Amino acid sequence: MGEHKDASRSTETPQRADAQRNRERILAVAVTELTRSADTPLSVIAKKAGVGQGTFYRNFPSREALVMEIYRHELRQVADSADQLLCTREPDRALREWMDRLARFGMTKAGLADAIRQATSSPNGPAKPGHDSLLHATDRLLRACEEAGAIRPGVTADDLILALGGFWQLDPESDWQPRAARLFDLVMDGLRVGAPGRRATDDASSSQRFVRRAASGR
């Protein structure tokens, strides 16, 4: 009896792993294809992901289910990366790198805007997922930076998201990365002014750098 249970467990694990890989492959292909065109047939996505129709529809029974899971999946990855970065970087470095990941998520979201709009526009369509996990991740990064004395105290997650608001005006079809990087560096310079772990001369240098960047447009 025990041997039978052990054998069952040993076969279930690879099966679950295969199913997870199939699901992740579908999501990866769907992000690319639906960003190109919101009307991409699901059969095309299944074929490019290398899965059969049955496997595809077991994971995603409708276009709406697929689009919403892409959105949740990308959102989850960005939120989870905050803790991963805090484990391997100094808090302020983790925050700055996380901004880059947030930017990539934002551009993916922009590319999927038509698909998301189609999925949520019908009366009985699914609701758009909330951003609570993103705000919690932002708050964890800010609190870690504050405790390390790397940023000024009292900055909230809402403050930071509002400060980064200019990013959402960038055209995803343009060469947006350099402009986003400059914006994020400006925001980081502003956050560091008044940080208890910095000397007054550091704050003066940061303020001067902030003014020069803003004036030069670089």
Side-chain angles (χ1 to χ4, degrees), residues 93-172:
R93 188 67 248 167
L95 176 59
R96 177 61 186 83
E97 290 190 27
W98 187 77
M99 291 179 185
D100 290 333
R101 300 193 184 196
L102 179 64
R104 287 193 292 273
F105 164 71
M107 289 305 162
T108 298
K109 177 185 171 186
L112 288 169
D114 288 342
I116 293 170
R117 195 177 302 113
Q118 287 180 13
T120 58
S121 60
S122 63
N124 298 319
K128 190 175 177 180
H131 292 83
D132 286 351
S133 62
L134 206 59
L135 289 173
H136 292 325
T138 307
D139 188 65
R140 289 196 300 276
L141 285 158
L142 289 171
R143 298 292 71 80
C145 287
E146 188 174 326
E147 289 171 11
I151 63 170
R152 63 192 303 164
V155 180
T156 68
D158 285 335
D159 291 336
L160 182 60
I161 296 301
L162 187 61
L164 297 175
F167 166 75
W168 308 106
Q169 305 305 314
L170 297 180
D171 182 358

Side-chain angles (χ1 to χ4, degrees), residues 1-22:
M1 181 74 71
E3 291 178 0
H4 177 70
K5 288 182 179 178
D6 289 342
S8 297
R9 279 196 295 268
S10 66
T11 56
E12 286 172 2
T13 301
Q15 288 172 352
R16 283 197 295 269
D18 287 344
Q20 184 61 31
R21 281 194 293 271
N22 285 338

Side-chain angles (χ1 to χ4, degrees), residues 96 99 162-170 176-190 210 213 218:
R96 177 61 186 83
M99 291 179 185
L162 187 61
L164 297 175
F167 166 75
W168 308 106
Q169 305 305 314
L170 297 180
W176 59 267
Q177 290 93 335
R179 298 184 68 189
R182 183 168 63 85
L183 171 64
F184 298 156
D185 288 342
L186 285 168
V187 170
M188 288 301 302
D189 283 346
F210 182 95
R213 281 177 174 162
R218 289 183 304 187

Side-chain angles (χ1 to χ4, degrees), residues 81-91 94-95 137 140-141 144-145:
S81 70
D83 291 328
Q84 296 164 6
L85 288 168
L86 284 171
C87 288
T88 57
R89 310 281 195 281
E90 291 297 319
L95 176 59
R140 289 196 300 276
L141 285 158
C145 287

